[in-house]
Amino acid sequence: MPRNFSRRRLLTTGAGVALGGAAAAVATDAQAATPASASLTGVREETRSIDELYEAAIAEGGKLVLYQGGDVDGQAAGVRAAWAARFPKIPLTVAVDYSKYHDVRVDNQLATDTLVPDVVQLQTLQDFTRWKQEGKLLRYKPAGFSKVHKGFKDPGGAWTALMVIAFSFMYDIQAAGANAPRTPLDLIDERWKGAIASSYPNDDDAVLYLYSLYQQKYGWEWVAKFAAQQPQFGRGTNTPGDAVNGKKKAIGVGGSGSTVSTSTTVKWVVPTGDHPFMAWGQRAAILRKAANPTAAKLYLNWVLSKERQLASFNGWSVRTDVTPNASLKPVWEFPNAHVDGFPRFMEDRAGAERLRQTFSLYFGEVKGDPSPGWLGLHPGS
């Protein structure tokens, strides 16, 4: 088999009160709901304030349903609490599940006229380009859209990334000691045999892409040697961090982390030079058939606001005018983060499937129930 195989979690945190303001909101919403084939000049960046959108959302009906890609329900605790504190009159329902289940769930709901969510916020980046082409997304540009990095938004406003997520490896500082791993190449050192936890690369596409970068850099020999380390695989990208934080393993691979963490127990690694890790902008969009489009707009504006972007846990923002940590350069300035590569990878479904099955030959089939549980057809309804 050739050395270079073909390749293509974090979540955050109305118009006026008068009838005339509400009417203006309706007009703005109608303009934003023009068909996908309409001129892009018809979509203007939002000018209403957060408080104006809040009042309009209350008048609309006062609720919001979000389908959020993730591993466990607790990952939405932060956004639920922050939303409730800021917008107490609009209940927020968040359903957390693997993005690969949420996307087909939305497709099925649209096909059966039983749509539940207003906003989808998922890792399956290819779905947003497909849904845009199918006319299923509401073209809308929240305030600050013009400041979003060009690779993290659809020019016509069909979708925008709201946060940066990155995957790499991490280690227990005390357990690793002075010879802690600095690059993925160090992970195959024999001293780490039996000491590694990883999320399944053949279960999660972002982890699959991370492992594909490792393979391309170090070859299939690295993959074989890593398999010989007898890593403990688990479903959910939370599992590596859980294993390391719980002192069950010294190293975790295929999980997110923070570059600005002050933890004295666990180190999440951004490798230097051309040693790879991966990052992407987590996309979000409003569905054209959403029951609560104004509340959905409020959500996008709120998460994209400077206030929320500055609260980023990992030190990166999707906005070019926001620097959550002055000592950290923007993620798109890390060539080894491959922020442009992951969207291409996700579009090539045949290539991803071949790679998934190849890694299954090395690591075995995925075992265990999904970490969020089984949510069924209509969670959040």
Side-chain angles (χ1 to χ4, degrees):
M1 187 171 292
R3 177 183 176 87
N4 289 323
F5 194 91
S6 174
R7 68 172 173 85
R8 290 285 194 228
R9 224 184 162 342
L10 300 196
L11 306 157
T12 60
T13 66
V17 180
L19 289 178
V26 172
T28 302
D29 292 350
Q31 183 183 43
T34 52
S37 59
S39 171
L40 298 184
T41 60
V43 181
R44 300 181 183 277
E45 192 167 313
E46 181 63 76
T47 58
R48 287 173 288 178
S49 69
I50 294 289
D51 288 335
E52 288 173 331
L53 283 165
Y54 182 30
E55 292 298 329
I58 294 172
E60 177 185 68
K63 63 180 180 179
L64 177 65
V65 180
L66 166 67
Y67 275 10
Q68 173 181 304
D71 304 293
V72 291
D73 184 73
Q75 290 174 341
V79 71
R80 289 188 183 112
W83 178 273
R86 182 65 176 84
F87 310 112
K89 294 183 179 180
I90 301 181
L92 170 65
T93 299
V94 185
V96 180
D97 201 355
Y98 296 159
S99 294
K100 66 180 181 180
Y101 296 154
H102 265 331
D103 63 349
V104 293
R105 178 176 288 126
V106 168
D107 284 334
N108 182 261
Q109 290 176 5
L110 288 171
T112 57
D113 196 25
T114 57
L115 183 65
V116 175
D118 303 297
V119 177
V120 283
Q121 182 176 294
L122 306 175
Q123 175 184 290
T124 49
L125 308 186
Q126 77 282 2
D127 287 311
F128 292 85
T129 55
R130 174 175 64 85
W131 284 331
K132 173 190 173 181
Q133 293 169 354
E134 295 171 350
K136 294 177 179 177
L137 303 180
L138 180 69
R139 293 198 294 114
Y140 175 69
K141 297 180 180 181
F145 182 87
S146 59
K147 300 299 183 181
V148 175
H149 176 62
K150 63 181 182 180
F152 290 165
K153 62 185 176 185
D154 172 66
W159 55 265
T160 183
L162 297 181
M163 62 200 69
V164 173
I165 303 178
F167 282 176
S168 184
F169 67 91
M170 66 201 77
Y171 60 83
D172 181 310
I173 295 173
Q174 182 178 12
N179 294 319
R182 306 300 178 191
T183 74
L185 195 57
D186 297 330
L187 301 180
I188 60 174
D189 189 294
E190 61 181 8
R191 70 180 182 275
W192 305 125
K193 186 172 183 177
I196 300 174
S198 176
S199 43
Y200 277 108
N202 42 345
D203 190 35
D204 182 281
D205 279 343
V207 183
L208 180 66
Y209 182 58
L210 179 69
Y211 271 77
S212 78
L213 294 174
Y214 293 166
Q215 183 277 318
Q216 290 177 45
K217 177 63 179 176
Y218 311 118
W220 287 108
E221 182 181 6
W222 180 94
V223 179
K225 289 184 176 180
F226 184 82
Q229 296 287 65
Q230 299 178 352
Q232 171 188 289
F233 287 104
R235 298 198 72 180
T237 61
N238 61 301
T239 56
D242 290 348
V244 176
N245 281 287
K247 300 292 184 180
K248 296 178 180 179
K249 297 292 180 180
I251 297 173
V253 183
S256 64
S258 174
T259 59
V260 295
S261 172
T262 58
S263 173
T264 58
T265 58
V266 176
K267 170 69 173 179
W268 186 80
V269 180
V270 174
T272 58
D274 60 352
H275 295 286
F277 72 111
M278 64 88 65
W280 75 98
Q282 187 83 327
R283 296 178 182 179
I286 303 171
L287 293 160
R288 281 179 57 82
K289 292 186 176 182
N292 306 287
T294 308
K297 292 177 181 181
L298 173 62
Y299 177 80
L300 264 60
N301 280 268
W302 176 64
V303 180
L304 199 57
S305 69
K306 286 187 176 181
E307 176 187 6
R308 296 301 301 172
Q309 292 292 304
L310 283 169
S312 164
F313 93 103
N314 62 18
W316 284 311
S317 170
V318 298
R319 293 179 59 141
T320 60
D321 62 340
V322 173
T323 306
N325 187 280
S327 65
L328 188 66
K329 63 185 179 181
V331 70
W332 50 85
E333 292 184 13
F334 286 80
N336 59 332
H338 301 274
V339 294
D340 296 328
F342 186 52
R344 293 194 298 268
F345 176 88
M346 293 298 283
E347 293 289 345
D348 182 5
R349 302 318 300 162
E353 186 62 21
R354 289 194 301 273
L355 189 57
R356 184 188 328 280
Q357 299 305 340
T358 304
F359 277 120
S360 294
L361 298 177
Y362 284 86
F363 302 140
E365 292 286 352
V366 174
K367 298 179 182 178
D369 292 336
S371 53
W374 295 101
L375 275 63
L377 287 171
H378 301 97
S381 60

